Amino acid sequence: MLWLDDPLINSSEFFYIAIVNLFASNSSLNHLSLLLEQNKTSSPEKKRKILFAAYEAKASEWILEQKGSYSGLDTWGARTIYIKF
C-alpha cells in the first residue's frame, strides 16, 4: 500500500490512523485487502481501526477469524469485535 509505506505517514501513528479511519467511515474506498495485510504487523490502535474498516466493508468472515485470536487483542480491540459483530 503505497501511501501507508510513506515515511511521513509511518513517522506518526496519528497520521496512519487518520488515513485508515477514512476507510472505516467510507465503504466506497475499497482497499480492504491491502489493509488486512497491514493488520499482522500493526499496533493495537491500528488493528482496531482496521477492524472498523472491515466492519464497514462487511468482511464478516475476516472479523470472525480475528475473533479466534481474541486473546491476542488488546482490551479495546476485543471490545471492538464484541460491539461490531
Side-chain angles (χ1 to χ4, degrees):
M1 192 174 284
L2 186 58
W3 44 269
L4 286 178
D5 294 332
D6 185 276
L8 177 64
I9 302 302
N10 281 320
S11 69
S12 170
E13 190 158 329
F14 173 80
F15 290 150
Y16 186 98
I17 289 174
I19 289 174
V20 173
N21 197 40
L22 291 173
F23 296 98
S25 60
N26 188 344
S27 62
S28 65
L29 300 173
N30 186 11
H31 290 295
L32 186 64
S33 61
L34 299 173
L35 285 173
L36 299 183
E37 289 175 20
Q38 297 280 320
N39 189 61
K40 297 172 188 161
T41 59
S42 294
S43 70
E45 293 81 13
K46 292 176 184 178
K47 287 181 180 186
R48 188 169 51 255
K49 288 297 181 181
I50 293 170
L51 280 168
F52 285 136
Y55 177 78
E56 187 66 28
K58 298 176 180 32
S60 56
E61 286 184 29
W62 184 83
I63 295 171
L64 282 173
E65 289 173 16
Q66 300 312 300
K67 209 172 183 180
S69 62
Y70 188 81
S71 61
L73 295 171
D74 69 334
T75 303
W76 289 106
R79 288 180 183 175
T80 299
I81 288 180
Y82 178 74
I83 292 168
K84 292 289 186 181
F85 199 70

